[in-house]
Amino acid sequence: EAHGTGRRRRGQSPARRERGAHIGGGEGEENTGELLTQSVSQLRLLLLEDQDSLRRALMRPLERAGYEVVPASFPSAARRLLNAGEQIHLLVTDIVMPGEDGIAFAKWAAGERPALRVVFTTGYTDLDVAECGLPPEQYRLLRKPFGMKELLTTLGELVGR
């Protein structure tokens, strides 16, 4: 999981507290109405974060909140998941990562999964996510550091809860 992808289900990830978060997801054939009618426990969240400790720290609270979390360390690993047909409703992604950045990945992913909802996270104050090309109702930006309550509220807004 640390160098690519791995699936974790509720109760399998280490309990650690750190700041930061990522969100995202959406299935290509799914429309927004269908996303809104699903319970949180039916929503799969792709967590794209290159910092292992932060990714692990975010997983457990997201799982406790009912999301099925699919972790990925790099955009290339996340891209392989989507290309393999992985059903993803939400994407939480860091913006600044080695190689492809989170904005470019989210733009590609939303092209593959039009109903995908995205939470961008960043510690940089000068980044503008408007270039992602997604409609404003489809994404949010969280500036680090942020708390889990803020992340969960943001996710809820994106899926109409």
Side-chain angles (χ1 to χ4, degrees), residues 44-103:
R44 298 189 78 215
L45 185 149
L46 175 58
L47 178 59
L48 177 54
E49 170 60 60
D50 61 313
Q51 293 180 356
D52 293 342
S53 60
L54 180 53
R55 189 177 57 256
R56 286 189 304 265
L58 293 173
M59 283 182 64
R60 186 165 201 151
L62 288 168
E63 289 169 338
R64 268 191 257 129
Y67 294 97
E68 183 178 346
V69 180
V70 179
S73 302
F74 303 103
S76 58
R79 190 179 296 266
R80 283 192 300 275
L81 284 168
L82 293 181
N83 282 336
E86 192 77 36
Q87 183 178 2
I88 300 294
H89 305 99
L90 298 162
L91 169 66
V92 176
T93 182
D94 194 4
I95 294 177
V96 179
M97 293 180 282
E100 184 178 18
D101 66 54
I103 293 172

Side-chain angles (χ1 to χ4, degrees), residues 8 15 20 36 42 47 50 84-85 87 90 94 134 149 153 158:
R8 298 268 181 132
L36 296 177
Q42 295 172 314
L47 178 59
D50 61 313
Q87 183 178 2
L90 298 162
D94 194 4
L134 298 174
K149 183 176 180 179
T153 298
L158 283 172

Side-chain angles (χ1 to χ4, degrees), residues 107-144:
K107 189 173 185 176
W108 173 83
E112 298 293 310
R113 307 282 197 287
L116 184 71
R117 297 295 187 257
V118 181
V119 175
F120 294 103
T121 64
T122 185
Y124 296 89
T125 58
D126 59 344
L127 292 177
D128 181 14
V129 296
E131 68 185 75
C132 72
L134 298 174
E137 66 275 5
Q138 205 166 334
Y139 72 91
R140 298 289 186 275
L141 173 66
L142 285 179
R143 301 228 184 253
K144 295 176 184 175

